[in-house]
């Protein structure tokens, strides 16, 4: 048979030279000799002509390669669920409670995937508000760090085998069986635990809270008072961050702001005094703030008790503002309220005595709050019993004391001495990894449950997705081990038959639909604590308290990361702290006086030591920090929390003090300098506005009452016809809006700076997480930010005496105890938008409804628009954050099929080189218009709400159609025109569609912008 002829491309292939063999397996050359013929000595420079040649080849090659389109298979519905329509969202009522933060929620699902939470307006507790932590919790469902199956000694095991061994171990246990958990507010879950205890009579249920309120419980005889800040005209708080992290902040924020909103028809406000160590979110919103040391808090409360009630031993603390607070409380009578964040029962007993003497209507002990039930003393006793060999089995239910308890070392030692250890936690965390058996709980979005945050107010949680992994609801595990074959769903329904009564099925369906049941109550066990402490005993305890020497440490909780249980959530890690604006880690907040004395600069690493333990963290110079003190946030320093959480910051809880088996979130510490440096990733490093009233404005209630038209300063432009408003002098042709004109009004009196809107926007619009280094590089991607400004002691009036340069330099530095103002800042959707005129490809244009819109596939990344934006609210995609492996840890949910389930399909994920910004949630606007069109009508006010406005627990943001004269925003703008309404940087005449309302403070001092 004749052989086929062979052909060669050239002599090199015929000779099969080594150079040819090497090149045959390389598709592209290692380098491209674009400058060989030009004699350039610079190895990095190529001639433009050769560069364009290669670019042309590259584009052609890419075009050919793109012809090989990857095959993507879609699975169609064979039997489509009746309630699911592709492209249409479904909402289900549920509840979020992580052991300390309660929110009634509506879960938005798309094709069976939960993608976002909204506040449930039916809830009488949270009233449609939502915390930043709750907003971000949807991502926990898709956390790749969750356990995907049962385990024995950390290795996957069959569920039946684990059940068999656990039952056998529990049956043979001779010592105590302990169930350890954070606060449980589920009546049905408590009954499951009670049934488990009846099967194993030697069972004890021990609850502890990371941010404990055990002292408050003990001072009130085991009852946690319910507070209503809307009934308080005078509020005095000692270290209680009730707007940020104390007890029920979403509920309290709504109540608080009720008496902070002002208008021409309501010229009254509550007055708020705050005495605290670290500058908290609540302290930032106070009318009067006084910095004090932790060791002074007891004496300060005693001094207030003496001034209001009388009869106490003389206090060593004295302050003029405290005297004014006492006078205001006595004048307010039952409209006064005193709260404290202290965990000292003696301090809380005096606070309760003051409220009782006032007859405060803002305190309710008949219908108490159930948000905190942990008992420090019982937990400390259990730790001793574990180490003493008295505990035969321990079950950890959403509890991680090997990390988040000050006695963590003793907990770890004790677990090793317990024969049977079981973890119901969702991952092999610091505690779960020490346990023999792991029976991971479902995520709350995969579970049925009920909750009672306050006596008489119930809510339900329902599963909105089939369990993603081979997990089992913890209550089902306990029922199984107790020998009860009933499913928890049936168990729950049976319990509710005694609550709802009547036509149960109809009442049950309504409760599941609404998510709440109002006016009903089920018996809820209260933690067994000591009887209430009387005032004389409390005074004696305060007087005998050990006096701190040296530098005092205050341990606090952040609004975002919180206790650390959700530290593996990158949205929370990158959420800027409302006060420090820091992300990705904790730090040592020090007053400026200490930094100057110790010659520390921000970012210098120091070693903080107490109790024989130490942490090393960078210094952050914090205005408002009490002299002689430092503060560090808990919730960081995880070692087995997940890829995002591990190694971020340091765990400060081992430095907390234990006194009489109670946790004291303060201690005397020793601080030493190190040679280390660690930059802090802050999203804002300018702290004052340097008397620039066009940026943000504030005034006092006294000035507002005297003349509302003088609280806001409006800029004018000099013209031949005299001073004119900036919008009267323009080179632009104004737009005419014939159909809709979307706008927003932000009340600075109502904005508390909590950050819920920031997370709500991020979830809704698929905003990427970029990580610590990119935040340091000023490349964070949040479409919405909350600017925080401190007041300064220097003002322009000092020009003549101190000179302009010296005064301007001084104006950059905040006061030692500054007043604070928060200002949400997002794209202003200007009618004369400077970004639109400079875009060379018309990627940013103006819509017929007033929106400044981005067309992503036109954008070529010149960034001219960002340079020309006076508000600096545009974000540039420097990288492909969803595919660049550099961001796989921090933005991991965009890298996996599991994580991408959280993305909103109505919003494009932006590519590298594209500019992005706030769109006023245009996808929501279009949906609202289409729904109205189907019904042949115009959208009604309130049907279309941006994500930030819907998230806000204080309703500080009003969004709507300014063409509708009856819309809320139109009413606000008409009412506040010429009084509190102003535009940021009005003089440049970009005519924003966002209007701000001047902040009003109820203070006797003159308010100065700074």
């Amino acid at each position: 048979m004749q052989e086929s002829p062979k052909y060669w491309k050239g002599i090199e292939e015929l000779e099969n030279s080594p150079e040819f063999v090497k090149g045959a397996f390389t598709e592209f050359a290692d380098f491209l000799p674009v400058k060989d013929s030009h004699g350039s000595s610079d190895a990095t420079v190529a001639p433009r002509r050769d560069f364009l040649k290669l670019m042309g080849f590259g584009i052609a090659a890419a075009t050919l390669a793109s012809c090989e389109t990857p095959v993507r298979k879609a699975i169609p519905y064979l039997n489509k669920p009746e309630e699911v329509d592709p492209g249409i969202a479904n909402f289900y009522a549920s509840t979020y409670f992580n052991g300390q933060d309660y929110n009634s929620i509506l879960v938005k699902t798309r094709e069976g995937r939960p993608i976002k939470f909204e506040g449930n307006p039916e809830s009488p507790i949270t009233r449609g508000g939502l915390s930043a932590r709750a907003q971000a919790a949807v991502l926990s469902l898709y956390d790749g760090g969750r356990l995907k199956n049962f385990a024995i000694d950390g290795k996957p095991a069959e569920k039946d085998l684990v059940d068999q061994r656990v039952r056998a171990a529990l049956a043979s246990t001779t010592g105590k069986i302990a169930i350890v958990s954070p606060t449980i507010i589920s009546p049905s879950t408590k009954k499951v635990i009670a049934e488990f205890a009846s099967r194993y009579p030697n069972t004890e249920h021990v609850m502890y809270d990371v941010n404990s309120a055990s002292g408050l419980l003990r001072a009130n005889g085991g009852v946690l008072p319910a507070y209503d800040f809307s009934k308080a005209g005078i509020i005095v708080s000692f270290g209680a961050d009730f707007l940020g992290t104390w007890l029920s902040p979403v509920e309290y924020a709504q109540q608080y702001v009720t008496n902070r909103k002002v208008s021409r028809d309501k010229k009254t406000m509550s007055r708020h005094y705050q005495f605290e160590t670290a500058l908290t979110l609540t302290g930032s919103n106070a009318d009067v703030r006084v910095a004090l040391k932790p060791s002074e808090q007891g004496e300060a409360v005693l001094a207030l008790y003496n001034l209001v009630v009388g009869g106490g031993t003389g206090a060593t603390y004295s302050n003029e503002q405290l005297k004014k607070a006492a006078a205001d409380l006595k004048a307010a009578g039952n409209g006064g309220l005193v709260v404290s964040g202290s965990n000292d029962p003696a301090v809380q007993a005096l606070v309760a005595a003051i409220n009782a003497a006032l007859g405060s209507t803002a305190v309710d002990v008949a219908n108490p709050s159930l948000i905190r039930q942990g008992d420090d003393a019982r937990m400390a006793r259990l730790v001793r019993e574990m180490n003493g060999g008295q505990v035969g089995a321990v079950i950890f239910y959403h509890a991680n004391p090997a990390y988040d308890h000050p006695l963590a070392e003793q907990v770890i030692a004790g677990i090793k001495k317990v024969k049977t250890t079981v973890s119901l936690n969702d991952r092999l965390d610091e505690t779960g990894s020490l346990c023999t058996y792991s029976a991971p709980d479902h995520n709350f979005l995969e579970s049925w449950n009920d909750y009672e945050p306050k006596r008489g107010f119930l809510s339900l949680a329902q599963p909105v997705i089939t369990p993603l992994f081979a997990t089992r609801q913890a209550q089902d595990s306990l029922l199984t081990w107790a020998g009860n074959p009933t499913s928890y769903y049936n168990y729950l329904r049976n319990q509710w038959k005694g609550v709802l009564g009547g036509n149960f099925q109809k009442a049950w369906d309504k409760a599941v639909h609404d998510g709440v049941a109002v006016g009903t109550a089920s018996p809820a066990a209260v933690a067994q604590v000591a009887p209430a402490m009387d005032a004389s005993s409390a005074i004696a305890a305060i007087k005998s308290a050990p006096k701190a020497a040296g530098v005092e440490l205050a341990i606090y909780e952040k609004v975002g990361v919180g206790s650390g249980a959700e530290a593996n959530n990158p949205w929370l890690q990158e959420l800027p702290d409302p006060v420090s604006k820091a992300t990705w880690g904790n730090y040592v907040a020090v007053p400026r006086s200490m930094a100057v004395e110790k010659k520390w600069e921000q970012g210098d690493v120091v070693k903080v030591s107490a109790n024989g333990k130490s942490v090393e963290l960078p210094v952050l110079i914090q205005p408002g920090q009490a002299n002689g003190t430092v503060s560090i946030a808990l919730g960081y320093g995880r070692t087995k929390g997940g890829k995002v959480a591990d190694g971020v910051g340091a765990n400060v809880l081992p430095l907390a003090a234990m006194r009489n088996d109670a946790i004291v979130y303060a201690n005397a510490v020793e601080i030493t300098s190190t040679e280390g440096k660690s930059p802090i990733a802050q999203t804002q490093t300018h702290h004052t506005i340097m008397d620039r009233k066009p940026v943000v404005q504030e005034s006092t209630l006294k000035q507002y009452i005297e003349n509302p038209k003088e609280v806001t300063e409006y800029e004018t432009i000099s013209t031949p016809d005299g001073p004119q408003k900036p919008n009267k002098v323009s080179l632009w042709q104004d737009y005419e809006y014939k159909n809709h004109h979307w706008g927003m009004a932000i009340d600075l009196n109502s904005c508390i700076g909590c950050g819920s809107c920031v997370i709500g926007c991020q979830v809704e619009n698929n905003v990427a997480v970029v990580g610590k280094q990119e935040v340091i590089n000023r490349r964070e991607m949040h479409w919405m930010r909350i600017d925080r400004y401190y007041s300064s002691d220097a003002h322009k009036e000092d020009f003549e005496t101190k000179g302009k340069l010296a005064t301007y330099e001084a104006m950059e530095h905040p006061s030692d105890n500054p007043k604070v103002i928060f200002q949400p800042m997002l794209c202003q959707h200007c009618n004369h938008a400077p970004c639109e005129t400079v875009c060379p490809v018309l990627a940013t244009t103006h819509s017929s409804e007033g929106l400044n819109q981005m067309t992503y596939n036109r954008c070529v990344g010149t960034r001219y628009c960002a340079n020309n934006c006076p508000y600096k609210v545009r974000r540039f995609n420097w990288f492909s954050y969803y595919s660049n492996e550099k961001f796989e840890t921090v933005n991991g949910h965009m890298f996996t099929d599991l994580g991408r389930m959280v993305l909103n399909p109505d919003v494009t994920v932006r590519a590298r080189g594209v500019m992005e910004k706030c769109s006023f949630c245009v996808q929501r606007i279009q949906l609202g218009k289409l729904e109205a069109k189907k019904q042949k009508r115009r959208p009604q006010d309130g049907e279309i709400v941006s994500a930030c406005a819907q998230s806000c627990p204080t309703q500080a943001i009003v969004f709507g159609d300014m063409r509708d004269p009856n819309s809320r925003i139109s009413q606000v703008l008409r009412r506040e025109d010429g009084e509190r309404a102003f535009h940021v940087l009005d003089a440049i005449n970009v005519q924003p569609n966002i209007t701000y309302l001047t902040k009003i403070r109820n203070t006797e001092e003159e308010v100065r912008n700074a």
Side-chain angles (χ1 to χ4, degrees):
M1 186 175 185
Q2 186 176 358
E3 293 184 2
S4 299
K6 294 181 180 180
Y7 301 93
W8 295 274
K9 294 179 181 179
I11 193 67
E12 66 277 2
E13 183 179 2
L14 174 63
E15 295 178 352
N16 203 28
S17 64
E19 292 79 7
F20 172 78
V21 173
K22 180 180 178 181
F25 295 98
T26 306
E27 183 179 0
F28 300 107
D30 292 337
F31 72 98
L32 298 175
V34 296
K35 54 185 180 298
D36 287 354
S37 62
H38 298 276
S40 173
S41 60
D42 187 348
T44 65
V45 175
R48 180 173 178 271
R49 181 176 297 174
D50 287 347
F51 173 75
L52 292 175
K53 287 179 183 177
L54 291 170
M55 282 297 295
F57 168 76
I59 292 171
T63 303
L64 291 172
S66 68
C67 296
E68 300 179 9
T69 305
V71 176
R72 298 184 182 275
K73 297 180 180 179
I75 302 176
Y77 278 122
L78 296 179
N79 295 291
K80 184 181 75 67
E82 182 180 351
E83 70 278 5
V84 175
D85 290 309
I88 304 298
N90 295 85
F91 290 84
Y92 301 93
S94 193
T95 303
Y96 165 78
F97 181 71
N98 65 348
Q100 60 177 22
D101 190 10
Y102 171 85
N103 287 259
S104 181
I105 62 175
L106 299 177
V107 183
K108 179 182 180 181
T109 66
R110 282 290 302 269
E111 291 79 51
R113 299 178 292 113
I115 62 171
K116 194 178 185 303
F117 297 162
E118 309 288 2
N120 185 355
E122 300 289 334
S123 170
I125 305 295
T126 54
R127 301 181 184 275
L130 216 55
S131 68
R133 215 174 293 164
Q135 282 280 2
V138 65
L139 191 57
S140 67
L141 172 66
Y142 307 109
D143 186 351
R146 290 174 56 196
L147 260 177
K148 297 175 176 59
N149 41 253
F150 282 48
I152 298 176
D153 292 327
K155 298 178 181 179
E158 293 296 325
K159 177 175 61 178
D160 293 340
L161 177 62
V162 173
D163 288 342
Q164 177 185 345
R165 293 193 180 182
V166 169
R167 279 197 297 260
L170 292 173
S172 62
T173 298
T174 54
K176 177 186 288 186
I177 298 175
I179 297 177
V180 182
S181 75
T183 289
I184 292 177
I185 62 172
S186 166
S188 297
T189 300
K190 286 187 174 181
K191 289 178 180 177
V192 168
I193 293 174
E195 184 164 330
F196 181 91
S198 66
R199 172 67 177 82
Y200 304 101
N202 51 343
T203 298
E204 179 186 20
H205 179 204
V206 178
M207 289 185 284
Y208 80 98
D209 296 311
V210 180
N211 195 349
S212 176
S214 184
L216 181 58
L217 283 163
R218 287 189 59 194
N220 291 276
V223 172
L224 191 72
Y227 299 100
D228 188 345
F229 287 83
S230 68
K231 296 180 179 179
I234 300 296
I235 302 166
V236 181
S237 170
F238 292 92
D241 186 13
F242 57 82
L243 298 179
T245 59
W246 189 66
L247 302 184
S248 185
V250 173
E251 176 188 8
Y252 297 157
Q254 291 179 333
Q255 298 167 355
Y256 176 81
V257 166
T258 300
N259 287 338
R260 306 295 288 181
K261 292 180 182 288
V262 293
S263 67
R264 65 178 64 160
D265 301 322
K266 179 183 174 294
K267 295 183 180 180
T268 58
M269 282 178 64
S270 61
R271 177 169 289 177
H272 173 196
Y273 294 86
Q274 185 83 4
F275 299 83
E276 61 184 8
T277 302
L279 182 58
T280 64
L281 184 64
T282 305
S284 300
N285 285 277
D287 296 306
V288 179
R289 180 184 180 274
V290 178
L292 48 68
K293 296 180 178 181
S295 60
E296 295 175 332
Q297 187 174 138
E299 289 287 345
V301 173
L302 175 56
L304 184 65
Y305 175 85
N306 290 338
L307 290 168
V308 176
V309 182
T313 308
T316 58
Y317 183 85
S318 179
N319 182 277
E320 287 301 316
Q321 296 294 355
L322 188 68
K323 294 177 182 177
K324 290 181 180 179
D328 284 348
L329 283 172
K330 288 196 287 187
N334 61 11
L337 173 63
V338 182
V339 293
S340 172
S342 172
N343 200 33
D344 186 343
V347 171
Q348 294 290 359
L350 285 188
V351 168
I354 296 171
N355 286 324
L358 294 170
S360 177
T361 57
V363 182
D364 184 4
V365 293
N367 298 293
S369 172
L370 304 172
I371 295 294
R372 295 286 192 281
Q373 300 172 35
D375 186 347
D376 291 349
R378 292 177 72 186
M379 183 63 188
R381 187 183 69 219
L382 175 65
V383 174
R384 289 193 294 268
E385 290 173 347
M386 288 167 60
N387 281 279
Q390 301 168 36
V391 179
V394 62
I395 300 173
F396 295 101
Y397 173 33
H398 290 184
N400 189 14
Y403 159 73
D404 60 21
H405 196 277
L407 302 177
E409 283 191 359
Q410 299 176 41
V411 170
I412 294 171
I415 290 175
K416 295 176 180 178
K417 297 177 182 178
V418 176
K419 182 179 179 182
T420 303
T421 53
V422 183
S423 170
L424 300 176
N425 298 350
D426 73 336
R427 67 194 62 225
L428 290 175
D429 54 20
E430 292 84 349
T431 301
S433 60
L434 300 173
C435 295
T436 304
Y437 305 104
S438 294
D441 189 14
H442 285 337
N443 184 271
F444 73 98
L445 293 172
E446 303 167 331
S447 308
W448 285 99
N449 212 351
D450 60 0
Y451 301 89
E452 190 172 15
K454 185 186 293 186
R455 185 63 54 83
F457 297 90
L458 291 166
S459 67
L460 280 169
Q462 61 176 313
V464 293
I465 189 172
T466 301
L468 297 176
F469 307 127
T471 56
R472 180 173 65 192
Q473 191 161 352
Q475 292 88 339
D476 282 316
S477 294
L478 293 175
L479 287 170
T480 299
W481 299 336
N484 187 337
T486 306
S487 70
Y488 183 61
Y489 169 68
N490 291 328
Y491 192 96
L492 179 72
R493 281 174 56 92
N494 291 334
Q495 298 302 319
W496 273 62
K497 286 178 180 178
V499 174
L500 298 176
N503 186 338
F504 172 72
Q505 189 59 48
K506 183 177 179 180
W508 171 258
D509 290 343
K510 185 179 187 305
V512 172
H513 175 272
D514 295 346
V516 295
V518 182
T520 60
S522 60
V526 178
Q528 299 298 313
V529 294
M533 181 183 294
D534 59 30
S536 58
S537 301
I539 294 171
I542 289 173
K543 285 296 182 182
S544 62
K547 306 302 179 186
V551 178
E552 297 182 36
L553 165 68
I555 299 173
Y556 70 101
E557 180 182 351
K558 282 197 174 189
V559 169
V561 170
S563 67
E566 296 181 65
N568 204 46
N569 190 319
W571 289 340
L572 294 178
Q573 290 282 3
E574 196 150 295
L575 173 68
D577 179 83
V579 178
S580 69
K581 311 312 293 182
T583 65
W584 290 102
N586 53 351
Y587 39 81
V588 183
V590 305
R592 178 169 295 277
S593 59
M594 183 181 292
V596 171
E597 177 189 347
K598 302 287 187 180
K599 297 182 180 179
W600 291 333
E601 294 182 357
Q602 185 149 309
D604 287 350
V605 176
V606 297
K607 183 177 182 180
V608 184
S609 305
N611 304 332
K613 303 176 180 64
S614 62
V615 297
E616 292 189 4
L617 288 168
V619 164
L620 182 139
I621 300 173
Q622 179 60 61
Q625 183 75 26
N627 289 331
T629 70
V630 299
S631 57
I632 304 176
L634 53 81
Y636 293 90
R638 297 293 303 270
T639 57
K640 294 186 178 180
K643 290 195 300 183
V644 175
D646 292 351
V648 178
N651 185 9
V652 71
L653 275 171
L655 304 188
M658 295 292 294
R659 187 179 305 152
N660 299 324
D661 280 347
I663 304 173
V664 180
Y665 296 93
N667 209 345
V669 295
E670 180 183 349
I671 305 180
T672 55
S673 301
T674 70
E675 298 297 323
K677 287 269 190 181
S678 179
I680 298 173
Q682 290 176 285
T683 58
Q684 181 183 349
T685 54
H686 59 285
H687 301 305
T688 69
I689 56 172
M690 302 178 69
D691 277 0
R692 293 179 297 160
K693 285 197 173 184
V695 176
V696 65
Q697 301 206 37
E698 53 183 324
S699 187
T700 65
L701 181 62
K702 181 181 178 181
Q703 292 171 316
Y704 184 73
I705 293 173
E706 290 175 354
N707 189 350
K709 294 188 178 297
E710 291 187 357
V711 297
T712 306
E713 293 187 15
Y714 295 102
E715 292 187 284
T716 57
I717 302 296
S718 297
T719 71
D721 300 323
Q724 297 283 343
K725 291 183 178 180
N727 62 2
K728 300 297 182 183
V729 182
S730 178
L731 296 174
W732 296 69
Q733 291 184 353
D734 289 330
Y735 290 97
E736 182 180 357
Y737 301 109
K738 298 180 179 180
N739 194 11
H740 301 287
H741 186 188
W742 303 105
M744 184 178 287
I746 301 176
D747 187 356
L748 299 184
N749 250 40
S750 302
C751 177
I752 59 173
C754 66
S756 178
C757 55
V758 177
I759 295 293
C761 171
Q762 183 164 23
V763 180
E764 172 73 19
N765 294 294
N766 301 333
V767 176
V769 179
V770 298
K772 180 177 180 178
Q773 186 56 51
E774 290 302 295
V775 174
I776 293 173
N777 294 342
R778 306 291 189 269
R779 292 174 177 175
E780 68 274 9
M781 296 300 294
H782 290 136
W783 285 8
M784 186 174 195
R785 68 177 190 263
I786 301 181
D787 289 338
R788 177 267 303 126
Y789 296 111
Y790 299 128
S791 62
S792 174
D793 294 330
H795 298 282
K796 290 181 179 178
E797 288 81 354
D798 301 330
F799 283 169
E800 294 183 4
T801 57
K802 300 180 181 178
K804 281 192 176 182
L805 291 179
T807 302
Y808 273 127
E809 183 180 359
M811 288 167 66
E812 292 181 355
H813 298 294
S815 306
D816 289 337
N817 185 27
K819 288 182 171 59
V820 183
I821 187 168
F822 295 104
Q823 183 181 46
M825 183 55 62
L826 60 160
C827 176
Q828 303 289 292
H829 292 270
C830 308
N831 292 306
H832 294 174
C835 55
E836 295 170 9
T837 58
V838 296
C839 180
V841 292
L842 290 180
T844 178
T845 54
H846 209 74
S847 80
S848 61
E849 297 180 357
L851 301 184
N852 177 255
Q853 53 194 9
M854 278 294 305
T855 307
Y856 297 131
N857 60 359
R858 282 186 191 165
C859 181
V860 295
T862 63
R863 306 198 303 280
Y864 297 162
C865 55
N867 293 336
N868 222 37
C869 174
Y871 305 101
K872 300 307 172 191
V873 289
R874 287 176 164 266
R875 302 288 179 257
F876 183 69
N877 286 267
W878 292 91
F879 299 94
S880 179
Y881 297 112
Y882 55 85
S883 62
N884 189 318
E885 61 184 15
K886 175 181 177 181
F887 303 96
E888 188 170 359
T889 297
V890 298
N891 201 44
H893 61 283
M894 289 190 178
F895 278 74
T896 64
D897 290 338
L898 174 67
R900 282 192 287 266
M901 290 173 71
V902 81
L903 297 179
N904 184 354
D906 293 332
V907 180
T908 302
V909 176
R910 281 72 63 187
R912 180 185 179 189
V914 169
M915 189 68 69
E916 60 183 72
K917 62 165 196 69
C918 164
S919 65
F920 265 177
C921 292
V922 65
Q923 69 277 5
R924 292 188 173 208
I925 294 175
Q926 292 302 108
L927 175 63
K929 287 162 58 179
L930 288 171
E931 289 295 321
K933 184 178 180 180
K934 287 193 295 185
Q935 300 176 29
K936 298 181 179 180
R937 60 173 177 83
R938 287 180 63 84
Q940 297 176 1
D941 186 47
E943 289 182 335
I944 300 175
V945 183
S946 61
C948 55
Q950 194 157 33
S951 303
C952 182
T954 62
Q955 298 183 354
I957 303 174
V958 177
F959 179 81
D961 184 1
M962 295 186 290
R963 286 279 297 164
D964 179 0
N966 298 317
S967 65
R968 282 182 62 206
I969 187 168
S970 294
Q971 295 175 27
V972 169
L973 296 180
R974 282 197 303 268
R975 184 186 71 224
E976 300 294 346
D977 184 35
E979 295 184 2
R980 294 174 59 217
F982 72 94
H983 292 134
V984 176
L985 303 179
D986 195 29
I988 62 177
N989 194 29
V990 295
Q991 297 187 12
N993 281 322
I994 295 182
T995 303
Y996 293 87
L997 304 185
T998 298
K999 184 176 181 66
I1000 305 296
R1001 298 185 189 273
N1002 189 0
T1003 177
E1004 297 174 358
E1005 303 172 8
E1006 182 184 0
V1007 171
R1008 299 295 305 274
N1009 282 320

